[in-house]
Every structure is written in C-alpha cells, then in structure tokens.
Amino acid sequence: MSLYCGIACRRKSFWSYRLLSTYVTKSRYLFELKEDDDACKKAQQTGAFYLFHSLAPLLQKSEHQYQAPQHSLLELERLLAKFGQDTQRIEDSVLIGCSEQHEAWFALDLGLNSSSSINASLQKQEMETELKGSFMELRKALFQLNTKDASLLSTAQALLRWHDGHQFCSRSGQPTKKNMAGSKRVCPSNKIIYYPQIQVNLRELEAAGWFSHDEVATALRRNNPYTQQQNGTFWLPPKLAIAHQLIKEWVEKPNCSTLPA
C-alpha cells in the first residue's frame, strides 16, 4: 500500500510539474512575441490565422456544431491577392495565443478599416463564398463551439474591438500605431503607450471579481446556482453555458500554481 501511494504521488507530481513547465514555456514564448516585432513576424510564417469580418468570426458548419477554420500565412496571402488586396493588411492581425508546440495563433478582421492600412474592407458575401463559411455573430454561435475555439474567438473579438476603437491618441489626436502582436498601441508624436482595457467594462459586464480555487470548487458543488460570499453574491453561469464548462475544466485540472514538493 505504501509503495502504491508513493508511486501514485510521484506520478501526480511529475504530471503537475510537466503541466506547469508547459504553461511557463508558453507564457515566455507569448511574452517574447508581444515584445519583439521581428520574432512575432517570424512566428506568422508558421502560425495560423482566424478570420473575422466586422468583428464576426468565420465559422463552418460541422454536423451539430460550428468550427473555426485556421488559415496559414500562404493561404491568407493568396486570398488577399485574389481580392486585389495588399499583403500589408496582414500587419493588422493580433496575437491571441499559441499551441504547446509553439504554433502562434493570430486573428485578422477583413471588414474593419485600419488607420495603418490603405486597404478598404472586403465584401462579406464574396469572402463567405470564397472561404466556404459564414461570418456569424459570436454570441449566437457560442454554444455550438468547442471550448478551445470559444475561448480563442472571444479573446480575438475583444482585442480586435479594442484596436478598432483606439486608433487615435486621446491627447494628441494623432493616429496610434499597433505593434506587430497587437499587445499595445503607441502614439508616435508623444510616445504614449496604450494597452488593452485589464478593468471592467460595466456596459458589457454586470460585475467582476477574483475568487480562489476553493471558492469556485465549492460553488460548483452546490445545488443552488450561486453561493453566498462575505462581500456579496457569487453567481455561476448555467451548466449549458460555455463559461460554466470553462470554469469546471479549470477546477478539475491538477493545480499547477505551485511547484510540486
């Protein structure tokens, strides 16, 4: 019994350490891409792109759910050339994540005009026909996406929306310039740096807060849809919601916040 427990503990420690190591490696890689324009541009060569049109992601129907197709840089360049667009438009893309194998993931909106690009928006219907998909409102398709796509597309949409609304400096009125990864915008005239909004947008969210792993796990175990906290009511999304499944997956995964003893 003691031997079995020892082996089980070592295995758990090994997998916990491996998950932590993978997370740290990915975080370091993403940080490098956000800070180094040359590294980010190089990552685009082997990366994958998710396409949007006016903040609506490109989706394809697959049985009873939607899938978000990925496109390589070469495929994207051919697509833009076919519609008479300059490949400079690819610089409007934003970094949204990466795989464990360090394949970088980007998002590009073909329906928004950028102050850094002379290209006009592409026609939605023509693009849908060419790409064999539909640009759909994300909220309508959210429940029919897998967890990975739902998370990535939500991140992408928020970042693309932020860039679309912050193309000019609030102080000088001059156009701001996006870095390659889209992690910030800079005003060339006064060097002010703008970062995506980390605070709560009360027009879109009713409330937000930080909760521990134990608090969330306790809330998931309760029969009621919420649990009372000292500072208010902690509401959980309904079980059918993608947000609920994401929270549940986070709680049930091994805790990698600390190194194994």
Side-chain angles (χ1 to χ4, degrees), residues 182-229:
S183 59
K184 60 185 175 183
R185 299 188 73 92
V186 181
C187 177
S189 65
N190 54 31
K191 306 304 179 184
I192 293 179
I193 301 176
Y194 295 90
Y195 294 97
Q197 182 172 302
I198 309 188
Q199 67 189 41
V200 180
N201 186 337
L202 295 179
R203 290 179 299 178
E204 296 187 6
L205 296 177
E206 188 173 306
W210 293 100
F211 301 94
S212 69
H213 183 277
D214 290 340
E215 288 175 326
V216 178
T218 299
L220 283 172
R221 288 194 297 266
R222 289 177 181 264
N223 293 325
N224 294 328
Y226 63 90
T227 181
Q228 295 291 333
Q229 302 292 325

mmCIF file of all heavy atoms in Angstrom, residues 182-229:
data_model
loop_
_atom_site.group_PDB
_atom_site.id
_atom_site.type_symbol
_atom_site.label_atom_id
_atom_site.label_comp_id
_atom_site.label_asym_id
_atom_site.label_seq_id
_atom_site.Cartn_x
_atom_site.Cartn_y
_atom_site.Cartn_z
ATOM 1 N N GLY A 182 -0.009 43.242 -31.516
ATOM 2 C CA GLY A 182 -1.268 43.855 -31.119
ATOM 3 C C GLY A 182 -1.458 43.925 -29.624
ATOM 4 O O GLY A 182 -2.582 44.071 -29.145
ATOM 5 N N SER A 183 -0.366 43.844 -28.867
ATOM 6 C CA SER A 183 -0.458 43.899 -27.415
ATOM 7 C C SER A 183 -0.454 45.330 -26.884
ATOM 8 O O SER A 183 -0.676 45.554 -25.693
ATOM 9 C CB SER A 183 0.696 43.122 -26.777
ATOM 10 O OG SER A 183 1.942 43.659 -27.183
ATOM 11 N N LYS A 184 -0.243 46.302 -27.782
ATOM 12 C CA LYS A 184 -0.248 47.705 -27.373
ATOM 13 C C LYS A 184 -0.315 48.594 -28.603
ATOM 14 O O LYS A 184 -0.111 48.147 -29.735
ATOM 15 C CB LYS A 184 1.008 48.041 -26.563
ATOM 16 C CG LYS A 184 2.311 47.818 -27.324
ATOM 17 C CD LYS A 184 3.519 48.054 -26.431
ATOM 18 C CE LYS A 184 4.814 47.720 -27.169
ATOM 19 N NZ LYS A 184 6.000 47.878 -26.287
ATOM 20 N N ARG A 185 -0.624 49.878 -28.375
ATOM 21 C CA ARG A 185 -0.596 50.897 -29.421
ATOM 22 C C ARG A 185 0.207 52.074 -28.902
ATOM 23 O O ARG A 185 0.154 52.397 -27.708
ATOM 24 C CB ARG A 185 -2.009 51.345 -29.814
ATOM 25 C CG ARG A 185 -2.889 50.251 -30.378
ATOM 26 C CD ARG A 185 -4.188 50.805 -30.925
ATOM 27 N NE ARG A 185 -3.964 51.517 -32.178
ATOM 28 C CZ ARG A 185 -4.043 50.937 -33.390
ATOM 29 N NH1 ARG A 185 -4.345 49.650 -33.480
ATOM 30 N NH2 ARG A 185 -3.844 51.643 -34.485
ATOM 31 N N VAL A 186 0.951 52.715 -29.784
ATOM 32 C CA VAL A 186 1.821 53.813 -29.383
ATOM 33 C C VAL A 186 1.522 55.039 -30.233
ATOM 34 O O VAL A 186 1.316 54.930 -31.451
ATOM 35 C CB VAL A 186 3.316 53.432 -29.545
ATOM 36 C CG1 VAL A 186 4.223 54.585 -29.108
ATOM 37 C CG2 VAL A 186 3.637 52.174 -28.754
ATOM 38 N N CYS A 187 1.489 56.200 -29.587
ATOM 39 C CA CYS A 187 1.338 57.458 -30.304
ATOM 40 C C CYS A 187 2.731 57.938 -30.718
ATOM 41 O O CYS A 187 3.556 58.246 -29.845
ATOM 42 C CB CYS A 187 0.658 58.509 -29.434
ATOM 43 S SG CYS A 187 0.516 60.133 -30.249
ATOM 44 N N PRO A 188 3.045 58.021 -32.008
ATOM 45 C CA PRO A 188 4.387 58.427 -32.450
ATOM 46 C C PRO A 188 4.766 59.842 -32.034
ATOM 47 O O PRO A 188 5.946 60.145 -31.858
ATOM 48 C CB PRO A 188 4.300 58.312 -33.981
ATOM 49 C CG PRO A 188 3.177 57.368 -34.233
ATOM 50 C CD PRO A 188 2.193 57.640 -33.136
ATOM 51 N N SER A 189 3.754 60.724 -31.852
ATOM 52 C CA SER A 189 4.055 62.126 -31.556
ATOM 53 C C SER A 189 4.476 62.371 -30.117
ATOM 54 O O SER A 189 5.289 63.243 -29.831
ATOM 55 C CB SER A 189 2.856 63.010 -31.905
ATOM 56 O OG SER A 189 1.750 62.700 -31.072
ATOM 57 N N ASN A 190 3.920 61.608 -29.169
ATOM 58 C CA ASN A 190 4.263 61.847 -27.761
ATOM 59 C C ASN A 190 4.697 60.581 -27.018
ATOM 60 O O ASN A 190 4.919 60.614 -25.817
ATOM 61 C CB ASN A 190 3.084 62.499 -27.022
ATOM 62 C CG ASN A 190 1.800 61.690 -27.185
ATOM 63 O OD1 ASN A 190 1.821 60.463 -27.308
ATOM 64 N ND2 ASN A 190 0.666 62.382 -27.199
ATOM 65 N N LYS A 191 4.767 59.446 -27.746
ATOM 66 C CA LYS A 191 5.254 58.170 -27.196
ATOM 67 C C LYS A 191 4.364 57.581 -26.091
ATOM 68 O O LYS A 191 4.799 56.717 -25.332
ATOM 69 C CB LYS A 191 6.689 58.321 -26.657
ATOM 70 C CG LYS A 191 7.669 58.893 -27.654
ATOM 71 C CD LYS A 191 7.721 58.086 -28.936
ATOM 72 C CE LYS A 191 8.709 58.696 -29.935
ATOM 73 N NZ LYS A 191 8.696 57.981 -31.232
ATOM 74 N N ILE A 192 3.131 58.049 -25.994
ATOM 75 C CA ILE A 192 2.203 57.462 -25.027
ATOM 76 C C ILE A 192 1.833 56.049 -25.483
ATOM 77 O O ILE A 192 1.549 55.817 -26.660
ATOM 78 C CB ILE A 192 0.928 58.311 -24.894
ATOM 79 C CG1 ILE A 192 1.245 59.664 -24.257
ATOM 80 C CG2 ILE A 192 -0.131 57.576 -24.049
ATOM 81 C CD1 ILE A 192 0.046 60.570 -24.114
ATOM 82 N N ILE A 193 1.876 55.094 -24.535
ATOM 83 C CA ILE A 193 1.560 53.703 -24.846
ATOM 84 C C ILE A 193 0.171 53.365 -24.313
ATOM 85 O O ILE A 193 -0.144 53.634 -23.152
ATOM 86 C CB ILE A 193 2.605 52.753 -24.233
ATOM 87 C CG1 ILE A 193 4.000 53.076 -24.763
ATOM 88 C CG2 ILE A 193 2.253 51.296 -24.543
ATOM 89 C CD1 ILE A 193 5.093 52.236 -24.133
ATOM 90 N N TYR A 194 -0.644 52.778 -25.158
ATOM 91 C CA TYR A 194 -1.985 52.355 -24.772
ATOM 92 C C TYR A 194 -2.040 50.829 -24.770
ATOM 93 O O TYR A 194 -1.579 50.185 -25.714
ATOM 94 C CB TYR A 194 -3.036 52.900 -25.743
ATOM 95 C CG TYR A 194 -3.151 54.405 -25.721
ATOM 96 C CD1 TYR A 194 -2.373 55.194 -26.569
ATOM 97 C CD2 TYR A 194 -4.040 55.039 -24.856
ATOM 98 C CE1 TYR A 194 -2.486 56.573 -26.557
ATOM 99 C CE2 TYR A 194 -4.152 56.424 -24.833
ATOM 100 C CZ TYR A 194 -3.373 57.185 -25.681
ATOM 101 O OH TYR A 194 -3.478 58.552 -25.658
ATOM 102 N N TYR A 195 -2.611 50.275 -23.695
ATOM 103 C CA TYR A 195 -2.759 48.831 -23.577
ATOM 104 C C TYR A 195 -4.240 48.470 -23.583
ATOM 105 O O TYR A 195 -5.085 49.292 -23.203
ATOM 106 C CB TYR A 195 -2.113 48.329 -22.281
ATOM 107 C CG TYR A 195 -0.610 48.498 -22.256
ATOM 108 C CD1 TYR A 195 -0.021 49.590 -21.622
ATOM 109 C CD2 TYR A 195 0.224 47.563 -22.861
ATOM 110 C CE1 TYR A 195 1.351 49.754 -21.603
ATOM 111 C CE2 TYR A 195 1.606 47.714 -22.837
ATOM 112 C CZ TYR A 195 2.164 48.810 -22.204
ATOM 113 O OH TYR A 195 3.538 48.971 -22.199
ATOM 114 N N PRO A 196 -4.570 47.218 -23.998
ATOM 115 C CA PRO A 196 -5.978 46.787 -23.981
ATOM 116 C C PRO A 196 -6.601 46.975 -22.616
ATOM 117 O O PRO A 196 -5.944 46.801 -21.589
ATOM 118 C CB PRO A 196 -5.900 45.301 -24.360
ATOM 119 C CG PRO A 196 -4.678 45.218 -25.203
ATOM 120 C CD PRO A 196 -3.704 46.200 -24.598
ATOM 121 N N GLN A 197 -7.852 47.269 -22.559
ATOM 122 C CA GLN A 197 -8.569 47.623 -21.334
ATOM 123 C C GLN A 197 -8.615 46.468 -20.367
ATOM 124 O O GLN A 197 -8.896 45.359 -20.739
ATOM 125 C CB GLN A 197 -10.011 48.026 -21.694
ATOM 126 C CG GLN A 197 -10.815 48.467 -20.497
ATOM 127 C CD GLN A 197 -12.142 49.038 -20.928
ATOM 128 O OE1 GLN A 197 -12.195 49.993 -21.682
ATOM 129 N NE2 GLN A 197 -13.220 48.445 -20.482
ATOM 130 N N ILE A 198 -7.511 45.772 -18.970
ATOM 131 C CA ILE A 198 -7.467 44.751 -17.950
ATOM 132 C C ILE A 198 -8.605 44.871 -16.994
ATOM 133 O O ILE A 198 -8.990 44.034 -16.274
ATOM 134 C CB ILE A 198 -6.138 44.801 -17.215
ATOM 135 C CG1 ILE A 198 -5.037 44.798 -18.180
ATOM 136 C CG2 ILE A 198 -5.975 43.796 -16.273
ATOM 137 C CD1 ILE A 198 -3.761 44.709 -18.082
ATOM 138 N N GLN A 199 -9.404 46.450 -16.770
ATOM 139 C CA GLN A 199 -10.509 46.849 -15.865
ATOM 140 C C GLN A 199 -11.859 46.421 -16.433
ATOM 141 O O GLN A 199 -11.979 46.141 -17.616
ATOM 142 C CB GLN A 199 -10.505 48.369 -15.651
ATOM 143 C CG GLN A 199 -10.841 49.159 -16.909
ATOM 144 C CD GLN A 199 -10.610 50.634 -16.708
ATOM 145 O OE1 GLN A 199 -9.634 51.051 -16.112
ATOM 146 N NE2 GLN A 199 -11.496 51.434 -17.208
ATOM 147 N N VAL A 200 -12.989 46.525 -15.634
ATOM 148 C CA VAL A 200 -14.302 46.019 -16.019
ATOM 149 C C VAL A 200 -15.062 47.047 -16.852
ATOM 150 O O VAL A 200 -15.174 48.205 -16.475
ATOM 151 C CB VAL A 200 -15.138 45.679 -14.763
ATOM 152 C CG1 VAL A 200 -16.503 45.148 -15.169
ATOM 153 C CG2 VAL A 200 -14.398 44.675 -13.916
ATOM 154 N N ASN A 201 -15.583 46.618 -17.987
ATOM 155 C CA ASN A 201 -16.449 47.450 -18.803
ATOM 156 C C ASN A 201 -17.887 47.208 -18.334
ATOM 157 O O ASN A 201 -18.510 46.209 -18.673
ATOM 158 C CB ASN A 201 -16.308 47.074 -20.282
ATOM 159 C CG ASN A 201 -17.096 48.016 -21.185
ATOM 160 O OD1 ASN A 201 -18.043 48.661 -20.753
ATOM 161 N ND2 ASN A 201 -16.708 48.078 -22.446
ATOM 162 N N LEU A 202 -18.415 48.139 -17.552
ATOM 163 C CA LEU A 202 -19.724 47.948 -16.934
ATOM 164 C C LEU A 202 -20.875 47.992 -17.935
ATOM 165 O O LEU A 202 -21.997 47.632 -17.616
ATOM 166 C CB LEU A 202 -19.936 49.018 -15.851
ATOM 167 C CG LEU A 202 -18.974 48.928 -14.660
ATOM 168 C CD1 LEU A 202 -19.250 50.048 -13.677
ATOM 169 C CD2 LEU A 202 -19.088 47.574 -13.976
ATOM 170 N N ARG A 203 -20.585 48.399 -19.157
ATOM 171 C CA ARG A 203 -21.626 48.352 -20.189
ATOM 172 C C ARG A 203 -21.806 46.932 -20.727
ATOM 173 O O ARG A 203 -22.829 46.613 -21.307
ATOM 174 C CB ARG A 203 -21.264 49.306 -21.337
ATOM 175 C CG ARG A 203 -21.361 50.782 -20.973
ATOM 176 C CD ARG A 203 -20.970 51.653 -22.131
ATOM 177 N NE ARG A 203 -19.596 51.422 -22.559
ATOM 178 C CZ ARG A 203 -19.008 52.041 -23.582
ATOM 179 N NH1 ARG A 203 -19.703 52.898 -24.300
ATOM 180 N NH2 ARG A 203 -17.754 51.779 -23.890
ATOM 181 N N GLU A 204 -20.778 46.083 -20.554
ATOM 182 C CA GLU A 204 -20.851 44.708 -21.049
ATOM 183 C C GLU A 204 -20.938 43.690 -19.920
ATOM 184 O O GLU A 204 -21.516 42.620 -20.087
ATOM 185 C CB GLU A 204 -19.636 44.407 -21.916
ATOM 186 C CG GLU A 204 -19.564 45.256 -23.178
ATOM 187 C CD GLU A 204 -18.447 44.822 -24.100
ATOM 188 O OE1 GLU A 204 -17.825 43.790 -23.797
ATOM 189 O OE2 GLU A 204 -18.202 45.495 -25.109
ATOM 190 N N LEU A 205 -20.348 44.002 -18.753
ATOM 191 C CA LEU A 205 -20.363 43.088 -17.617
ATOM 192 C C LEU A 205 -21.081 43.728 -16.438
ATOM 193 O O LEU A 205 -20.901 44.914 -16.153
ATOM 194 C CB LEU A 205 -18.937 42.725 -17.206
ATOM 195 C CG LEU A 205 -18.105 41.956 -18.228
ATOM 196 C CD1 LEU A 205 -16.694 41.742 -17.672
ATOM 197 C CD2 LEU A 205 -18.744 40.629 -18.550
ATOM 198 N N GLU A 206 -21.893 42.939 -15.757
ATOM 199 C CA GLU A 206 -22.616 43.446 -14.599
ATOM 200 C C GLU A 206 -21.680 43.623 -13.413
ATOM 201 O O GLU A 206 -21.776 44.570 -12.645
ATOM 202 C CB GLU A 206 -23.735 42.461 -14.248
ATOM 203 C CG GLU A 206 -24.687 42.969 -13.176
ATOM 204 C CD GLU A 206 -25.857 42.026 -12.997
ATOM 205 O OE1 GLU A 206 -26.529 41.708 -13.989
ATOM 206 O OE2 GLU A 206 -26.096 41.627 -11.852
ATOM 207 N N ALA A 207 -20.714 42.698 -13.261
ATOM 208 C CA ALA A 207 -19.748 42.770 -12.166
ATOM 209 C C ALA A 207 -18.621 41.792 -12.460
ATOM 210 O O ALA A 207 -18.742 40.909 -13.298
ATOM 211 C CB ALA A 207 -20.413 42.425 -10.833
ATOM 212 N N ALA A 208 -17.507 41.962 -11.748
ATOM 213 C CA ALA A 208 -16.368 41.052 -11.887
ATOM 214 C C ALA A 208 -15.609 41.023 -10.573
ATOM 215 O O ALA A 208 -15.692 41.964 -9.769
ATOM 216 C CB ALA A 208 -15.449 41.507 -13.024
ATOM 217 N N GLY A 209 -14.876 39.969 -10.345
ATOM 218 C CA GLY A 209 -14.120 39.848 -9.093
ATOM 219 C C GLY A 209 -13.167 38.681 -9.149
ATOM 220 O O GLY A 209 -13.202 37.868 -10.078
ATOM 221 N N TRP A 210 -12.291 38.589 -8.131
ATOM 222 C CA TRP A 210 -11.330 37.500 -8.028
ATOM 223 C C TRP A 210 -11.816 36.499 -6.988
ATOM 224 O O TRP A 210 -12.263 36.887 -5.906
ATOM 225 C CB TRP A 210 -9.956 38.042 -7.614
ATOM 226 C CG TRP A 210 -9.307 38.905 -8.647
ATOM 227 C CD1 TRP A 210 -9.270 40.271 -8.679
ATOM 228 C CD2 TRP A 210 -8.594 38.466 -9.807
ATOM 229 N NE1 TRP A 210 -8.588 40.704 -9.790
ATOM 230 C CE2 TRP A 210 -8.164 39.618 -10.491
ATOM 231 C CE3 TRP A 210 -8.293 37.197 -10.334
ATOM 232 C CZ2 TRP A 210 -7.435 39.554 -11.671
ATOM 233 C CZ3 TRP A 210 -7.566 37.135 -11.510
ATOM 234 C CH2 TRP A 210 -7.142 38.298 -12.173
ATOM 235 N N PHE A 211 -11.727 35.197 -7.318
ATOM 236 C CA PHE A 211 -12.163 34.143 -6.408
ATOM 237 C C PHE A 211 -11.122 33.034 -6.397
ATOM 238 O O PHE A 211 -10.504 32.728 -7.423
ATOM 239 C CB PHE A 211 -13.524 33.581 -6.832
ATOM 240 C CG PHE A 211 -14.609 34.615 -6.884
ATOM 241 C CD1 PHE A 211 -14.917 35.260 -8.071
ATOM 242 C CD2 PHE A 211 -15.317 34.958 -5.741
ATOM 243 C CE1 PHE A 211 -15.909 36.223 -8.129
ATOM 244 C CE2 PHE A 211 -16.306 35.905 -5.779
ATOM 245 C CZ PHE A 211 -16.610 36.552 -6.970
ATOM 246 N N SER A 212 -10.932 32.440 -5.235
ATOM 247 C CA SER A 212 -9.944 31.371 -5.096
ATOM 248 C C SER A 212 -10.446 30.078 -5.720
ATOM 249 O O SER A 212 -11.639 29.921 -6.000
ATOM 250 C CB SER A 212 -9.635 31.134 -3.616
ATOM 251 O OG SER A 212 -10.759 30.559 -2.973
ATOM 252 N N HIS A 213 -9.523 29.131 -5.904
ATOM 253 C CA HIS A 213 -9.871 27.820 -6.453
ATOM 254 C C HIS A 213 -10.891 27.120 -5.552
ATOM 255 O O HIS A 213 -11.866 26.526 -6.036
ATOM 256 C CB HIS A 213 -8.602 26.972 -6.577
ATOM 257 C CG HIS A 213 -8.828 25.628 -7.197
ATOM 258 N ND1 HIS A 213 -9.284 24.542 -6.482
ATOM 259 C CD2 HIS A 213 -8.661 25.188 -8.468
ATOM 260 C CE1 HIS A 213 -9.388 23.501 -7.279
ATOM 261 N NE2 HIS A 213 -9.008 23.868 -8.501
ATOM 262 N N ASP A 214 -10.697 27.190 -4.244
ATOM 263 C CA ASP A 214 -11.608 26.543 -3.300
ATOM 264 C C ASP A 214 -13.005 27.153 -3.353
ATOM 265 O O ASP A 214 -14.017 26.446 -3.250
ATOM 266 C CB ASP A 214 -11.059 26.634 -1.873
ATOM 267 C CG ASP A 214 -9.822 25.752 -1.689
ATOM 268 O OD1 ASP A 214 -9.641 24.827 -2.507
ATOM 269 O OD2 ASP A 214 -9.059 25.998 -0.748
ATOM 270 N N GLU A 215 -13.083 28.480 -3.475
ATOM 271 C CA GLU A 215 -14.383 29.152 -3.538
ATOM 272 C C GLU A 215 -15.167 28.722 -4.778
ATOM 273 O O GLU A 215 -16.364 28.459 -4.712
ATOM 274 C CB GLU A 215 -14.187 30.663 -3.541
ATOM 275 C CG GLU A 215 -13.748 31.236 -2.202
ATOM 276 C CD GLU A 215 -13.437 32.712 -2.275
ATOM 277 O OE1 GLU A 215 -12.935 33.159 -3.328
ATOM 278 O OE2 GLU A 215 -13.706 33.430 -1.303
ATOM 279 N N VAL A 216 -14.472 28.633 -5.900
ATOM 280 C CA VAL A 216 -15.136 28.234 -7.139
ATOM 281 C C VAL A 216 -15.550 26.768 -7.079
ATOM 282 O O VAL A 216 -16.638 26.394 -7.503
ATOM 283 C CB VAL A 216 -14.223 28.490 -8.356
ATOM 284 C CG1 VAL A 216 -14.905 28.030 -9.644
ATOM 285 C CG2 VAL A 216 -13.873 29.969 -8.456
ATOM 286 N N ALA A 217 -14.653 25.916 -6.534
ATOM 287 C CA ALA A 217 -14.972 24.491 -6.413
ATOM 288 C C ALA A 217 -16.185 24.283 -5.524
ATOM 289 O O ALA A 217 -17.064 23.453 -5.812
ATOM 290 C CB ALA A 217 -13.764 23.735 -5.852
ATOM 291 N N THR A 218 -16.274 25.043 -4.431
ATOM 292 C CA THR A 218 -17.425 24.950 -3.529
ATOM 293 C C THR A 218 -18.705 25.372 -4.240
ATOM 294 O O THR A 218 -19.758 24.745 -4.091
ATOM 295 C CB THR A 218 -17.205 25.842 -2.293
ATOM 296 O OG1 THR A 218 -16.037 25.394 -1.597
ATOM 297 C CG2 THR A 218 -18.404 25.780 -1.363
ATOM 298 N N ALA A 219 -18.613 26.434 -5.034
ATOM 299 C CA ALA A 219 -19.784 26.912 -5.764
ATOM 300 C C ALA A 219 -20.276 25.881 -6.771
ATOM 301 O O ALA A 219 -21.482 25.699 -6.957
ATOM 302 C CB ALA A 219 -19.446 28.219 -6.479
ATOM 303 N N LEU A 220 -19.360 25.167 -7.401
ATOM 304 C CA LEU A 220 -19.745 24.144 -8.375
ATOM 305 C C LEU A 220 -20.437 22.957 -7.715
ATOM 306 O O LEU A 220 -21.294 22.310 -8.322
ATOM 307 C CB LEU A 220 -18.510 23.651 -9.141
ATOM 308 C CG LEU A 220 -17.972 24.577 -10.231
ATOM 309 C CD1 LEU A 220 -16.641 24.057 -10.753
ATOM 310 C CD2 LEU A 220 -18.970 24.701 -11.377
ATOM 311 N N ARG A 221 -20.074 22.662 -6.463
ATOM 312 C CA ARG A 221 -20.654 21.506 -5.764
ATOM 313 C C ARG A 221 -22.051 21.783 -5.229
ATOM 314 O O ARG A 221 -22.789 20.865 -4.912
ATOM 315 C CB ARG A 221 -19.736 21.082 -4.611
ATOM 316 C CG ARG A 221 -18.452 20.409 -5.075
ATOM 317 C CD ARG A 221 -17.760 19.715 -3.918
ATOM 318 N NE ARG A 221 -17.339 20.656 -2.899
ATOM 319 C CZ ARG A 221 -16.113 21.195 -2.855
ATOM 320 N NH1 ARG A 221 -15.222 20.879 -3.784
ATOM 321 N NH2 ARG A 221 -15.801 22.032 -1.894
ATOM 322 N N ARG A 222 -22.423 23.031 -5.103
ATOM 323 C CA ARG A 222 -23.729 23.373 -4.545
ATOM 324 C C ARG A 222 -24.841 23.110 -5.553
ATOM 325 O O ARG A 222 -24.659 23.242 -6.762
ATOM 326 C CB ARG A 222 -23.766 24.842 -4.130
ATOM 327 C CG ARG A 222 -22.916 25.146 -2.894
ATOM 328 C CD ARG A 222 -22.935 26.621 -2.582
ATOM 329 N NE ARG A 222 -22.115 26.912 -1.414
ATOM 330 C CZ ARG A 222 -22.597 27.019 -0.192
ATOM 331 N NH1 ARG A 222 -23.889 26.853 0.024
ATOM 332 N NH2 ARG A 222 -21.799 27.299 0.815
ATOM 333 N N ASN A 223 -26.001 22.781 -5.067
ATOM 334 C CA ASN A 223 -27.155 22.568 -5.933
ATOM 335 C C ASN A 223 -27.718 23.881 -6.437
ATOM 336 O O ASN A 223 -28.255 23.976 -7.540
ATOM 337 C CB ASN A 223 -28.249 21.786 -5.204
ATOM 338 C CG ASN A 223 -27.820 20.366 -4.892
ATOM 339 O OD1 ASN A 223 -27.099 19.763 -5.678
ATOM 340 N ND2 ASN A 223 -28.271 19.837 -3.769
ATOM 341 N N ASN A 224 -27.615 24.920 -5.586
ATOM 342 C CA ASN A 224 -28.134 26.231 -5.981
ATOM 343 C C ASN A 224 -27.214 26.843 -7.033
ATOM 344 O O ASN A 224 -26.027 26.544 -7.074
ATOM 345 C CB ASN A 224 -28.209 27.167 -4.766
ATOM 346 C CG ASN A 224 -29.225 26.677 -3.757
ATOM 347 O OD1 ASN A 224 -30.223 26.073 -4.122
ATOM 348 N ND2 ASN A 224 -28.960 26.922 -2.476
ATOM 349 N N PRO A 225 -27.711 27.728 -7.880
ATOM 350 C CA PRO A 225 -26.892 28.329 -8.928
ATOM 351 C C PRO A 225 -25.903 29.356 -8.417
ATOM 352 O O PRO A 225 -25.140 29.909 -9.180
ATOM 353 C CB PRO A 225 -27.929 28.985 -9.858
ATOM 354 C CG PRO A 225 -29.065 29.302 -8.951
ATOM 355 C CD PRO A 225 -29.112 28.172 -7.952
ATOM 356 N N TYR A 226 -25.936 29.643 -7.109
ATOM 357 C CA TYR A 226 -24.993 30.623 -6.579
ATOM 358 C C TYR A 226 -24.642 30.250 -5.149
ATOM 359 O O TYR A 226 -25.268 29.413 -4.512
ATOM 360 C CB TYR A 226 -25.585 32.038 -6.617
ATOM 361 C CG TYR A 226 -26.807 32.209 -5.753
ATOM 362 C CD1 TYR A 226 -26.690 32.601 -4.427
ATOM 363 C CD2 TYR A 226 -28.080 31.974 -6.270
ATOM 364 C CE1 TYR A 226 -27.819 32.751 -3.635
ATOM 365 C CE2 TYR A 226 -29.205 32.127 -5.479
ATOM 366 C CZ TYR A 226 -29.061 32.519 -4.169
ATOM 367 O OH TYR A 226 -30.173 32.674 -3.397
ATOM 368 N N THR A 227 -23.586 30.895 -4.657
ATOM 369 C CA THR A 227 -23.190 30.698 -3.267
ATOM 370 C C THR A 227 -22.932 32.053 -2.631
ATOM 371 O O THR A 227 -22.392 32.949 -3.280
ATOM 372 C CB THR A 227 -21.929 29.825 -3.175
ATOM 373 O OG1 THR A 227 -21.585 29.647 -1.802
ATOM 374 C CG2 THR A 227 -20.745 30.441 -3.888
ATOM 375 N N GLN A 228 -23.315 32.213 -1.388
ATOM 376 C CA GLN A 228 -23.153 33.494 -0.721
ATOM 377 C C GLN A 228 -21.707 33.695 -0.273
ATOM 378 O O GLN A 228 -21.075 32.810 0.271
ATOM 379 C CB GLN A 228 -24.067 33.565 0.508
ATOM 380 C CG GLN A 228 -25.547 33.550 0.159
ATOM 381 C CD GLN A 228 -25.992 34.823 -0.533
ATOM 382 O OE1 GLN A 228 -25.386 35.855 -0.323
ATOM 383 N NE2 GLN A 228 -27.015 34.737 -1.343
ATOM 384 N N GLN A 229 -21.180 34.876 -0.571
ATOM 385 C CA GLN A 229 -19.845 35.255 -0.118
ATOM 386 C C GLN A 229 -19.985 36.418 0.866
ATOM 387 O O GLN A 229 -21.016 37.080 0.933
ATOM 388 C CB GLN A 229 -18.973 35.681 -1.311
ATOM 389 C CG GLN A 229 -18.834 34.599 -2.381
ATOM 390 C CD GLN A 229 -18.033 33.415 -1.891
ATOM 391 O OE1 GLN A 229 -17.101 33.579 -1.124
ATOM 392 N NE2 GLN A 229 -18.400 32.231 -2.328
#
